[in-house]
Structure formats: structure tokens, C-alpha cells
């Protein structure tokens, strides 16, 4: 696994609590399986290996043997692999015990590992592995980060690879884990450091006759840096979209076909569909994928005035979902499009959407039941938006393309890497600082100190992505979302 380039961050390791304790955990998912893994990480694991395996192990070589209980009996038979530091996942000594995947067996094995650590070593009389404890969520990966085996973006990519909901997201997370995203950030950082060096030299030696900045084409370097950043930001937004997706809410009057549309998009009968208005009383949600992009589609209760208390609650929840949407599909019924009462109700919903929604949230006009309209009448009254039939599927591809356009997806760009919203925000701050720097650079010597400060802030924002400048609080949030044992 590639190591993080750039300066190490020992201050992070010192400030995080109990980072030097040896840790152990079951590393496979809960439940029954053919194989289960118990993982141990720490310094000098030889005494515990001897207690568990009854022998020493050759480095990085799988050895079939009995996992021994305290009395010498076998808890199970399986494979033991010892990865000596620093060439291991965590950068510490790591022991992996691959046993049969029953939950009871794995719990017995984990309990034995913890007990072996507390037992006195016959040679020294001291505990074989003092302070051995169960790992916290994400603690193995946290140690890999703290020991410079991976950077923070790669650590997040591990969790994203595990959580990937689409094949495209999994492939992109694998690219980030391999260091493609980090390499682009490091290239930006290196160019930024070089530019900072020129500016700092000019500040330190103002009496020199040589105009360092003009001779080194600082304007050109900064412009090239900004152009590169634009490309990285575009790819990062695509990566964040692959990971996060967008929330799409289907809204409209009762019996417009909202539930049918959800079922058609999902390709499954998820929502109950009947001719009775008000059938949907609460939201029905489903995550679908279009070209690998996850879309979280929510069907809501029909919007209308109602005296039914249960339906009123459903309508209130519908509005709550609409207000939190990234995009709204305002569904209309083509068979009732010219009815005065229906048009008035639609106008009321449109007014409420305009009032409640931010202007940045797109509302797509969708006209359903195209199959129920006579062919000679379909174009009689042109309507803006997407025409479709949730029943036959006609027009669904147009709607899918529209949703991808709203999301900002660019036809599966080759080599896209997974990213997170925090990465997007960090790059936006870099962009802002570089724009400020460009303004100061245009002011020449009068603003060189401000130029230097903006470049420093831009580098710090880049460092947040890879973890070179990151608060302990952020690390705690990131790694607490991992599985125990990872």
C-alpha cells in the first residue's frame, strides 16, 4: 500500500489517546461464514504468538495450526499470519488468525487473545502484551494513518470501498485507495510550495536587484496552478457524487402516478399502487443507480387538503422531504391536465414549491400517463418538462438523463476517484485563496505579505484532505464511522 508523501504528523499520534495500546478485534462482519478473522496489532507480538500458536511464525507466511486455549486444548484450527512492523497494514506488528466463521468460535478466540496478553511471560514474569484491549471502530485504519502507511484520503477510501453501493463507486474507491486522488493533491501542494518559496524569498530579501517573481514567472505559475485546480475540482465533484448521490423527491397530487413512477425507476414493486386517492400515507424510499450514480428516490403522500388525520401527517412529512431534497419531480397527470379543478390544485402546489424551496433546488415538471392519452391528442397542448408513462416505461430514459444532468454527472469519466463532500469544500477554499492570491500578486510588492498568507492558507486547505493539517476532532469523526476490526 502506498505511503503518504510529505511531512509526517507525529503531533497527531501523540495527542490521540491510547494510540500505543495493543489492540485486537474480530475483523469480519457479524454472523456466520466459512471464514472469520481475528486481528491483533501492537509492538512485539512474539510472546502472544507463542501462547496462541505454540510456536513462532515466519513473516508473511500462512501457517496452518491449532489456536490454543490456556490449558493447551484447541479452540479451532486455521491459518495464522504474522506481519512484522513496519510492513503491515497498521505499520505495527500484526497477527491475523483465520478461523471458522461462527460467531461463538470467533468470540472464544478473541477472548483467548485478550487473556493471553494479560498472562505473565514465563521468561520475564511481565504480561505478554500489557494493556491489550478490544479495538475501537476504525482504530486499525487510524493507526495505518498515524504510522504513515496511508494518508487521510486513502483511509476514507477504505470505508468508501466497503460501503460502495454501486460498481462504479467501488472502482472509484479502489483508485482513491491506490493513491490516485492523493497524488493529484500532492502535485498541487508541491506546485504551491514552490510558489510560496519564491514569494518568501522576495519578502526575505527585498533589497535584491533581481525580481524573483518576474524572473520565475510567478504569474504564470499561479495561473497554471489555478487551471490544474479546476480540473481536480471537477473530478472531485464527480467522485463525491458517486459516493453521496442525490436525494430526489417525487411530489404531486394524489393519483398522479408517484408510486408507479418510483416502481418504474426502481424496477420493482416497492410502493402500493391503487386507483384510490391517498393510498400512500407515508414516504417510500429506494436507492437506485443510473450509470453508477446513486439516486435516493422518495415517493411521498399526495399533496392536497385533507380532513383525515393520518393523511395530514403523511402530507406534512411529504413537505418535510421536499424541503430537504436535492431535486423535486413535480408529477402531473396528463389525463386530467385540462380539468379546471386539477389545474388549480397544481398551481397551488407550484406556488407552495416556489415559496418553500431554495431557488437552487431544481423542480422537474414530469407529465405521466402518456399511454392513456390518445395519440392524436398528445401534442395538442404542448407542455414543458418530461413526458412519460410509468406503466409502459416510455420516456423513462429521458427522465434518467435529466436526473444525471441535474446531478452534474459527466458520462462516466475514465479514472474518476471517490471523494467526499469535505474534500469538495476544502478545494473550494483552496480556489478562493488562490483567487485572492492572484489579486495580491497583481498589486506587486505592496501586497506580497498578503500574497504569502493566502498561499499558506491554500496549502493548509490542501493539507486537510490528506491529513497533513487536520484536527483531532475531525479524525475522531472520520474513524468512528468505520467497522470494528477495520
Amino acid at each position: 500500500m502506498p505511503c503518504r508523501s510529505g511531512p509526517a504528523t507525529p503531533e497527531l499520534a501523540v495527542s490521540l489517546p491510547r494510540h500505543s495500546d495493543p489492540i485486537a478485534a474480530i475483523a469480519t462482519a457479524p454472523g456466520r461464514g466459512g471464514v472469520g478473522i481475528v486481528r491483533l496489532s501492537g509492538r512485539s507480538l512474539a510472546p502472544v504468538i507463542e501462547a496462541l500458536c505454540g510456536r513462532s511464525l515466519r513473516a508473511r507466511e500462512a501457517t496452518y495450526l491449532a489456536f490454543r486455549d490456556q490449558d493447551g486444548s484447541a479452540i479451532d484450527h486455521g491459518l495464522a499470519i504474522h506481519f512484522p512492523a513496519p510492513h503491515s497494514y497498521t505499520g505495527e506488528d500484526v497477527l491475523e488468525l483465520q478461523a471458522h466463521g461462527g460467531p461463538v468460535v470467533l468470540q472464544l478466540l478473541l477472548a483467548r487473545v485478550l487473556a493471553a496478553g494479560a498472562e505473565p511471560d514465563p521468561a520475564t514474569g511481565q504480561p505478554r502484551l500489557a494493556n491489550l484491549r478490544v479495538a475501537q471502530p476504525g482504530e486499525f485504519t487510524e493507526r495505518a494513518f498515524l504510522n504513515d502507511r496511508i494518508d487521510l484520503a486513502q483511509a476514507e477510501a477504505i470505508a468508501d470501498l466497503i460501503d460502495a453501493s454501486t460498481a462504479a463507486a467501488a472502482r472509484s474507491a479502489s483508485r482513491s485507495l491506490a493513491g490516485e486522488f492523493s497524488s493529484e493533491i500532492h502535485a498541487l501542494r508541491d506546485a504551491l510550495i514552490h510558489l510560496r518559496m519564491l514569494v518568501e524569498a522576495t519578502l526575505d530579501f527585498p533589497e535584491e536587484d533581481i525580481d524573483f517573481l518576474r524572473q520565475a514567472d510567478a504569474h504564470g505559475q499561479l495561473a497554471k496552478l489555478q487551471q490544474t485546480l479546476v480540473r481536480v475540482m471537477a473530478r472531485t465533484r464527480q467522485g463525491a457524487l458517486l459516493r453521496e448521490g442525490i436525494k430526489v423527491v417525487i411530489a404531486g397530487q394524489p393519483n398522479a402516478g408517484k408510486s408507479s413512477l418510483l416502481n418504474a425507476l426502481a424496477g420493482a414493486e416497492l410502493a402500493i399502487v391503487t386507483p384510490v386517492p391517498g393510498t400512500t400515507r407515508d414516504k417510500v424510499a429506494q436507492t437506485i443507480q443510473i450509470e453508477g450514480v446513486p439516486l435516493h428516490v422518495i415517493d411521498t403522500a399526495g399533496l392536497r387538503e385533507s380532513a383525515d388525520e393520518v393523511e395530514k401527517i403523511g402530507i406534512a412529512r411529504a413537505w418535510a422531504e421536499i424541503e430537504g431534497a436535492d431535486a423535486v419531480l413535480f408529477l402531473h397527470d396528463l389525463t386530467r391536465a385540462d380539468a379546471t379543478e386539477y389545474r388549480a390544485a397544481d398551481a397551488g402546489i407550484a406556488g407552495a414549491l416556489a415559496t418553500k424551496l431554495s431557488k437552487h433546488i431544481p423542480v422537474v415538471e414530469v407529465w405521466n400517463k402518456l399511454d392513456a392519452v390518445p395519440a392524436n391528442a398528445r401534442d395538442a397542448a404542448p407542455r414543458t418538462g418530461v413526458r412519460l408513462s410509468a406503466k409502459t416505461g416510455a420516456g423513462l430514459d429521458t427522465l434518467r438523463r435529466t436526473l444525471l444532468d441535474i446531478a452534474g454527472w459527466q458520462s462516466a469519466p475514465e479514472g474518476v476517484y471517490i471523494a467526499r463532500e469535505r474534500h469538495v469544500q476544502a478545494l473550494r477554499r483552496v480556489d478562493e485563496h488562490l483567487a485572492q492570491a492572484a489579486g495580491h500578486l497583481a498589486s506587486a510588492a505592496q501586497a506580497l505579505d498578503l500574497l504569502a498568507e493566502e498561499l499558506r492558507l491554500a496549502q493548509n486547505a490542501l493539507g486537510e484532505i490528506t491529513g497533513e493539517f487536520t484536527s483531532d476532532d475531525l479524525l475522531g469523526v472520520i474513524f468512528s464511522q468505520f467497522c470494528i476490526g477495520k
Side-chain angles (χ1 to χ4, degrees):
M1 187 169 296
C3 296
R4 174 164 47 141
S5 62
T9 52
E11 68 279 4
L12 292 179
V14 170
S15 59
L16 290 173
R18 301 195 294 172
H19 75 276
S20 59
D21 290 350
I23 53 174
I26 297 171
T28 41
R32 299 170 61 190
V35 177
I37 298 174
V38 173
R39 176 180 288 161
L40 171 63
S41 180
R43 298 186 179 92
S44 303
L45 301 185
V48 171
I49 292 173
E50 184 69 32
L52 295 170
C53 303
R55 51 168 291 183
S56 61
L57 299 175
R58 296 182 64 179
R60 290 173 293 280
E61 182 178 291
T63 304
Y64 179 76
L65 43 70
F67 304 135
R68 298 176 180 275
D69 207 343
Q70 188 172 12
D71 60 5
S73 62
I75 297 174
D76 194 7
H77 289 73
L79 297 178
I81 311 175
H82 178 214
F83 301 92
H87 305 296
S88 69
Y89 179 71
T90 64
E92 303 173 333
D93 279 3
V94 170
L95 174 65
E96 287 197 355
L97 305 177
Q98 300 182 11
H100 292 94
V104 174
V105 173
L106 294 177
Q107 288 293 344
L108 285 172
L109 192 53
L110 177 60
R112 173 58 187 143
V113 168
L114 296 172
E119 291 172 1
D121 187 333
T124 65
Q126 300 297 316
R128 294 180 187 270
L129 198 58
N131 301 320
L132 177 60
R133 58 176 174 81
V134 175
Q136 297 173 357
E139 196 167 1
F140 287 93
T141 303
E142 181 182 59
R143 293 191 178 197
F145 165 72
L146 293 173
N147 292 322
D148 287 331
R149 296 296 296 160
I150 54 176
D151 66 26
L152 194 55
Q154 290 172 295
E156 291 170 306
I158 293 170
D160 294 336
L161 183 59
I162 294 170
D163 294 336
S165 59
T166 69
R171 286 193 293 268
S172 298
S174 181
R175 294 188 190 102
S176 284
L177 179 56
E180 290 188 20
F181 182 34
S182 300
S183 295
E184 297 221 18
I185 299 303
H186 292 150
L188 281 170
R189 182 208 59 194
D190 292 344
L192 188 51
I193 289 174
H194 186 264
L195 185 56
R196 284 189 66 192
M197 177 188 68
L198 296 174
V199 175
E200 296 290 346
T202 304
L203 284 172
D204 289 341
F205 303 102
E207 70 282 357
E208 292 288 338
D209 294 332
I210 299 175
D211 186 344
F212 289 104
L213 299 184
R214 185 176 296 112
Q215 185 183 48
D217 188 22
H219 287 276
Q221 289 192 40
L222 181 54
K224 183 178 180 180
L225 189 57
Q226 288 177 295
Q227 292 169 3
T228 303
L229 178 62
V230 168
R231 293 194 295 270
V232 174
M233 289 177 68
R235 290 163 65 87
T236 304
R237 282 193 295 268
Q238 297 292 289
L241 182 59
L242 270 181
R243 180 182 184 274
E244 308 288 349
I246 63 171
K247 177 182 176 181
V248 179
V249 176
I250 306 173
Q253 294 187 55
N255 267 17
K258 296 183 298 300
S259 298
S260 297
L261 179 57
L262 172 64
N263 291 343
L265 288 171
E269 295 296 322
L270 303 172
I272 299 173
V273 177
T274 76
V276 179
T279 298
T280 301
R281 299 295 186 96
D282 202 354
K283 69 176 182 180
V284 179
Q286 176 68 16
T287 296
I288 65 172
Q289 59 167 302
I290 304 175
E291 292 188 17
V293 178
L295 300 180
H296 313 293
V297 185
I298 300 174
D299 172 28
T300 58
L303 303 176
R304 66 175 178 178
E305 295 293 330
S306 176
D308 185 305
E309 288 300 321
V310 176
E311 188 176 1
K312 286 169 69 175
I313 293 172
I315 292 170
R317 291 181 177 178
W319 279 112
E321 293 294 338
I322 290 168
E323 291 173 22
D326 296 310
V328 175
L329 302 182
F330 185 8
L331 198 63
H332 308 280
D333 183 347
L334 271 173
T335 64
R336 294 182 282 165
D338 295 321
T340 302
E341 185 177 347
Y342 183 81
R343 290 171 64 182
D346 258 7
I349 294 173
L353 288 172
T355 301
K356 293 176 179 290
L357 292 182
S358 163
K359 64 180 180 180
H360 301 295
I361 298 176
V363 177
V364 182
E365 305 280 346
V366 181
W367 298 88
N368 188 26
K369 304 186 182 180
L370 187 63
D371 60 292
V373 178
N376 60 358
R378 290 177 184 176
D379 297 323
R383 316 205 182 267
T384 60
V386 179
R387 293 186 178 196
L388 56 78
S389 169
K391 183 177 181 179
T392 67
L396 281 179
D397 284 344
T398 301
L399 179 59
R400 292 188 182 103
R401 186 68 253 170
T402 300
L403 289 172
L404 286 179
D405 291 341
I406 288 172
W409 181 246
Q410 302 169 356
S411 266
E414 187 62 32
V416 68
Y417 37 69
I418 207 75
R420 297 190 173 199
E421 184 60 27
R422 81 170 190 89
H423 303 150
V424 175
Q425 296 299 327
L427 289 175
R428 285 175 181 165
R429 292 200 304 278
V430 175
D431 187 44
E432 292 168 2
H433 289 307
L434 291 185
Q436 291 290 331
H440 295 316
L441 184 57
S443 301
Q446 293 85 349
L448 286 184
D449 54 344
L450 297 177
L451 168 61
E453 177 63 10
E454 291 296 341
L455 294 178
R456 184 187 70 82
L457 292 173
Q459 184 181 344
N460 285 357
L462 279 178
E464 290 179 12
I465 295 174
T466 54
E468 292 166 42
F469 299 95
T470 309
S471 70
D472 293 354
D473 289 341
L474 176 60
L475 293 183
V477 170
I478 290 173
F479 289 111
S480 67
Q481 298 171 356
F482 278 63
C483 313
I484 293 176
K486 195 62 182 178

